[in-house]
Amino acid sequence: YVVKTANGFDLIENQTGEAAQAFGRMVAFHGQMGMYVRALSYMLSHGNDGLKQVAEDAVLNANYILASLKDVMSPAFDGYCMHEALFDDHFLEGTGVTTLDFAKAMIDEGYHPMTMYFPLVVHGAMLIEPTETESKATLDTFIASMRALAIAAKSNDKSRFDNAPDRKST
């Protein structure tokens, strides 16, 4: 139970007094409430101007990825994107590498794979959603890894994909 005090806010563990009327600890049976609290906290911490900047940065990062990879991967649609760069698997045709193989090879590169096979209307969809907090340096490193994987697939270098992920934990 959270109460406002003269020194700010305190977390009350024992349910006595006013805290005895609380509905209890926030756990799974309260549904999406935790998500709403996190979303609201994020929005309030940024304010109006900050939210606009966050949205613009997310769109800029996604378009930077799209523009940087469209010569080696196949964008699902022409033009700019919003906060997600969407590729299909046409660039993998004839390579024997699938979207799943590509995603597993990303793990060996140190990246969590992108959203795969969604949206369903895009064959072999690869949905990349960079956050607004990514720096240009981290985006460039990610792009270099993606380019290397795409080039390896097109060069029939199946060794990078056959046993992926085989990265040893550090």
Side-chain angles (χ1 to χ4, degrees), residues 4-170:
K4 187 172 184 177
T5 65
N7 297 327
F9 292 94
D10 285 337
L11 181 64
I12 307 298
E13 291 287 331
N14 299 322
Q15 295 185 358
T16 59
E18 188 181 349
Q21 297 175 9
F23 60 81
R25 294 184 180 273
M26 179 98 47
V27 293
F29 71 89
H30 292 296
Q32 299 294 323
M33 189 61 188
M35 182 270 307
Y36 292 132
V37 170
R38 285 188 294 278
L40 179 61
S41 299
Y42 183 81
M43 290 186 283
L44 291 174
S45 71
H46 282 79
N48 291 341
D49 293 344
L51 281 180
K52 182 177 188 274
Q53 186 65 54
V54 162
E56 290 172 350
D57 291 348
V59 170
L60 178 64
N61 287 350
N63 277 286
Y64 182 65
I65 287 175
L66 181 67
S68 299
L69 293 174
K70 68 182 179 182
D71 63 322
V72 293
M73 295 175 67
S74 46
F77 302 102
D78 292 330
Y80 298 107
C81 62
M82 291 304 288
H83 66 287
E84 303 166 325
L86 179 60
F87 297 92
D88 60 32
D89 64 352
H90 285 102
F91 74 99
L92 295 173
E93 287 177 1
T95 64
V97 175
T98 66
T99 297
L100 180 59
D101 296 333
F102 197 90
K104 290 191 293 184
M106 287 177 66
I107 296 170
D108 286 335
E109 297 293 316
Y111 294 102
H112 186 284
M114 66 279 172
T115 300
M116 302 176 304
Y117 304 115
F118 183 83
L120 299 175
V121 296
V122 175
H123 191 272
M126 297 179 210
L127 186 65
I128 301 169
E129 185 174 3
T131 66
E132 65 279 357
T133 59
E134 298 296 339
S135 68
K136 184 175 180 300
T138 59
L139 291 175
D140 287 339
T141 303
F142 173 77
I143 289 165
S145 292
M146 294 293 283
R147 291 182 71 79
L149 288 174
I151 291 167
K154 290 179 180 184
S155 302
N156 293 319
D157 181 6
K158 295 261 302 165
S159 64
R160 290 186 79 165
F161 304 95
D162 285 340
N163 297 316
D166 66 4
R167 183 178 189 172
K168 307 295 185 245
S169 61
T170 56

